[in-house]
Amino acid sequence: MQLSQMWREHLQAGCPPEMRGLDIAGTAAGALDAEITACVSACVTHSLKMDSRIERRLHDIAHALENFQDQGPPEVAAYCTRLNKLVSAVLVNATAIPDAEKSAEPAADAPRTSVRPGMRRR
């Protein structure tokens, strides 16, 4: 099933009232849903650049959702299962940032060119 279709189904199903007040992966269920929705949206539009921080967070969320899938009423389990499928799909479909782009600093061996302010290079 495509990510966009899973996302639509999740949005249509909504969040069960039993989720109110629950924390998953250190985040309130509603806020976690919004966080995952933002990742799914970015992934669907091909604008999500997966870095190690995002990847680690999504793995933590997936692990926490697995624990909740086995707890509570069936509505909670179904909700957590849907969210976990979305997280897994984002992890599979997101574009990873190549190592060269991860570093904000230029490489140490990269040549530097001095340019005076107000002077144009030819």
Side-chain angles (χ1 to χ4, degrees), residues 77-97:
Y79 172 82
C80 290
T81 299
R82 281 193 316 272
L83 266 185
N84 206 7
K85 285 180 181 177
L86 286 171
V87 169
S88 296
V90 168
L91 284 166
V92 169
N93 292 309
T95 305
I97 298 174

Side-chain angles (χ1 to χ4, degrees), residues 17-99:
E18 295 85 0
M19 294 302 297
R20 287 192 196 112
L22 290 180
D23 279 359
I24 302 171
T27 305
L32 183 69
D33 191 278
E35 182 179 351
I36 294 169
T37 294
C39 286
V40 170
S41 176
C43 190
V44 167
T45 61
H46 305 290
S47 61
L48 177 64
K49 300 293 186 194
M50 182 72 72
D51 62 17
S52 60
R53 182 189 58 82
I54 294 171
E55 185 175 10
R56 187 173 44 253
R57 174 67 176 152
L58 291 174
H59 280 292
D60 290 346
I61 290 169
H63 181 71
L65 286 168
E66 286 174 9
N67 293 337
F68 272 89
Q69 286 173 214
D70 300 329
Q71 300 175 2
E75 296 82 12
V76 170
Y79 172 82
C80 290
T81 299
R82 281 193 316 272
L83 266 185
N84 206 7
K85 285 180 181 177
L86 286 171
V87 169
S88 296
V90 168
L91 284 166
V92 169
N93 292 309
T95 305
I97 298 174
D99 288 338

